[in-house]
Amino acid sequence: MSSSRTVEVGGSAAKAGGSAAKAGGSAAKVGGGRRVTGTRRWVAAVFLLPALVLLGALVVYPIGFSVYRSLFDASGDGFVGLGNYGELFADDGIRTALRNNVVWVVVAPTVSTALGLIFAVLTERVRWGTAFKLVVFMPMAISMLAAGIIFRLVYDQNPERGVANAVWVGVHDTFAEPAPFPGARPRPNGVLRPSGGGGFSTRSVVRAGSPVLLPLVAVRQDDVRGARRAAGAVARPGSVTGTVWLDFLRGGGGRPNVVDGSERGLAGVRVEAVRGGRVVASARTAADGTFVLPGGAADGARLRLPAGNFAAAYGGVEWLGPALVTPAIIGAYVWMWAGFAMVLIAAGLAGVPRELLEAARVDGAGEWQVFRRVTVPLLAPVLVVVLVTLMINVLKIFDLVYIIAPGSSLRSANVLALQLFQSSFGTDVDEGLGSAIAVFLLLLVLPVMWVNLRRIRKERRR
């Protein structure tokens, strides 16, 4: 019985093995046949063909044509070889663009990545960290054109419109007292004459007991709004008295060099008595414009209103001037892209093993040591991704520079992408030179792309 069952089981196994062999042969036949494999290759080719056509039309052909066009002159008829590439380093404007591009590549990605790292680390420990990240990332939703318009207003020279100068002027005026009446001056051929440096002095010496009238005009109405009426100085024996006032009435009327009507006194004006080129006494005018100087010192001296009374109001920093225009535009770029860096770094930070950080703290490491010796090395791959991405982005920067920089500073803020636009489509069109700049930009981007691709391959091998 047992032997017969064994034979039956063996026969079934043999039949099953034969079926498996037939199935394997069929699979091999199908795998080696043309129907399945050939169909898959044609299907793949059909699906890839549109992408390959677009890639060739939008990438390969423009690159090839740019290289070809860069070898000809502006008209496209004369072959100049590498002459256009030589002009890249001979033209002053293009050399300025090259220098600015170096500054952009070094500063903008580094600052954006550093701020993103700081924001990502600090916001991990606060309750409102998510809201802060949202606010910092929001500028990414704004187009470069809109951001350029915003920062063109932020950097406006007038403190009443430009936020940057409004803050700067506010800080400056906190530590440096502004002039009480900027732009004020005496009437022509009056009792006061220019004394040099923007100040004014009396034409003759003054005497104790004889009031002195020092009228001024060209005072801004905002500076005397709410000021008290001017009062004629009262003669005091042994003292030099006088009045400094706005000798002007809105709507006309009044007599020149006479305190009359509702003319306003100028409070806070510094009055100095000068003898032999040396200040012997000084005073400030009261709310009604009157002042008193000791007669013993001021008698026989000339009175001077120093330039500090009339200096123009501090106008702030010329952010968009030739000296600061590039750092100012980089600031606008950092405002936009620091949020991008923060989000990527925060995502990498979320994957950092917490036990490593806790182990470092248990071993006695301080927070700065944990950050420098543990967090930053673990985030190195993410930081490289952010840096490389921003470097590629910065090499193509164009719209922020074009919108923010005024015409007077555009040459100082020039970058290669902007120079490419101006050479290809500006007033002095030279498509040969523009094509050479485009090829040169491509050559600058290729090493960065190679580093990025090499990093991606290493990560895949891991």
Side-chain angles (χ1 to χ4, degrees):
M1 293 289 291
S2 60
S3 61
S4 62
R5 288 178 180 175
T6 303
V7 171
E8 290 178 1
V9 172
S12 301
K15 290 179 181 179
S19 300
K22 290 180 180 179
S26 300
K29 184 178 180 180
V30 173
R34 296 179 179 178
R35 287 176 295 176
V36 176
T37 306
T39 302
R40 287 179 179 175
R41 289 176 179 173
W42 278 106
V43 169
V46 169
F47 277 100
L48 285 175
L49 185 60
L52 293 175
V53 170
L54 287 175
L55 184 66
L58 300 179
V59 178
V60 178
Y61 172 75
I63 291 176
F65 181 77
S66 296
V67 173
Y68 169 79
R69 186 65 180 84
S70 67
L71 303 176
F72 290 83
D73 59 9
S75 64
D77 299 326
F79 181 80
V80 295
L82 299 179
N84 288 322
Y85 294 93
E87 191 173 346
L88 288 176
F89 304 95
D91 185 84
D92 291 338
I94 300 179
R95 284 206 302 266
T96 300
L98 285 170
R99 287 195 299 269
N100 287 339
N101 264 96
V102 172
V103 174
W104 270 92
V105 170
V106 172
V107 176
T110 304
V111 175
S112 299
T113 305
L115 285 178
L117 176 61
I118 293 171
F119 291 157
V121 172
L122 293 182
T123 52
E124 268 204 332
R125 300 189 177 186
V126 294
R127 292 181 179 178
W128 41 268
T130 303
F132 179 81
K133 290 178 182 178
L134 177 64
V135 172
V136 175
F137 188 74
M138 278 180 63
M140 284 296 300
I142 303 174
S143 68
M144 286 282 195
L145 175 63
I149 295 173
I150 291 171
F151 274 87
R152 183 67 181 267
L153 295 175
V154 168
Y155 292 132
D156 195 289
Q157 183 68 31
N158 189 346
E160 296 180 359
R161 293 194 301 266
V163 176
N165 264 339
V167 174
W168 191 268
V169 169
V171 173
H172 174 273
D173 290 347
T174 301
F175 299 97
E177 186 178 357
F181 302 103
R185 65 178 187 275
R187 290 183 180 276
N189 302 319
V191 296
L192 292 171
R193 64 178 181 182
S195 60
F200 305 97
S201 62
T202 55
R203 296 181 182 275
S204 57
V205 299
V206 297
R207 297 297 178 185
S210 299
V212 183
L213 299 179
L214 304 176
L216 295 175
V217 294
V219 178
R220 298 183 306 181
Q221 289 300 316
D222 289 343
D223 293 337
V224 292
R225 185 172 287 115
R228 291 176 54 179
R229 288 189 178 185
V234 178
R236 295 185 183 180
S239 298
V240 174
T241 60
T243 303
V244 182
W245 83 102
L246 175 59
D247 193 15
F248 173 80
L249 287 175
R250 299 187 67 178
R255 294 169 294 170
N257 301 320
V258 176
V259 179
D260 54 9
S262 57
E263 294 175 340
R264 303 294 174 175
L266 302 182
V269 177
R270 181 178 177 82
V271 182
E272 298 175 343
V274 180
R275 182 186 292 112
R278 187 169 59 91
V279 177
V280 294
S282 64
R284 287 195 179 273
T285 56
D288 58 1
T290 58
F291 63 90
V292 179
L293 293 168
D299 187 37
R302 295 179 187 270
L303 298 187
R304 181 176 67 186
L305 304 181
N309 294 314
F310 317 113
Y314 180 67
V317 177
E318 193 178 1
W319 299 104
L320 299 182
L324 294 177
V325 63
T326 295
I329 300 174
I330 290 177
Y333 179 89
V334 170
W335 176 77
M336 291 191 66
W337 287 88
F340 168 82
M342 178 194 65
V343 170
L344 291 187
I345 295 172
L349 192 60
V352 172
R354 300 298 165 180
E355 56 270 17
L356 295 180
L357 303 179
E358 295 302 327
R361 294 188 181 101
V362 170
D363 289 341
E367 291 300 322
W368 171 247
Q369 290 177 315
V370 172
F371 173 75
R372 186 165 57 93
R373 298 292 180 85
V374 181
T375 304
V376 173
L378 290 175
L379 288 176
V382 180
L383 296 178
V384 171
V385 171
V386 175
L387 270 174
V388 170
T389 303
L390 293 180
M391 287 174 68
I392 295 174
N393 183 270
V394 156
L395 284 172
K396 303 180 297 180
I397 194 69
F398 162 75
D399 22 22
L400 273 183
V401 179
Y402 187 72
I403 298 299
I404 295 179
S408 58
S409 302
L410 192 60
R411 188 175 181 85
S412 300
N414 198 15
V415 291
L416 285 175
L418 179 59
Q419 184 63 44
L420 165 63
F421 171 79
Q422 291 176 333
S423 297
S424 301
F425 310 106
T427 53
D428 299 326
V429 177
D430 188 343
E431 293 183 359
L433 180 59
S435 298
I437 297 174
V439 174
F440 184 69
L441 269 176
L442 176 63
L443 294 177
L444 291 179
V445 173
L446 285 178
V448 182
M449 293 178 62
W450 178 78
V451 171
N452 204 22
L453 292 174
R454 188 177 179 184
R455 179 192 56 77
I456 293 173
R457 287 177 181 174
K458 285 184 179 180
E459 289 184 357
R460 286 180 177 175
R461 290 172 185 172
R462 294 175 185 174

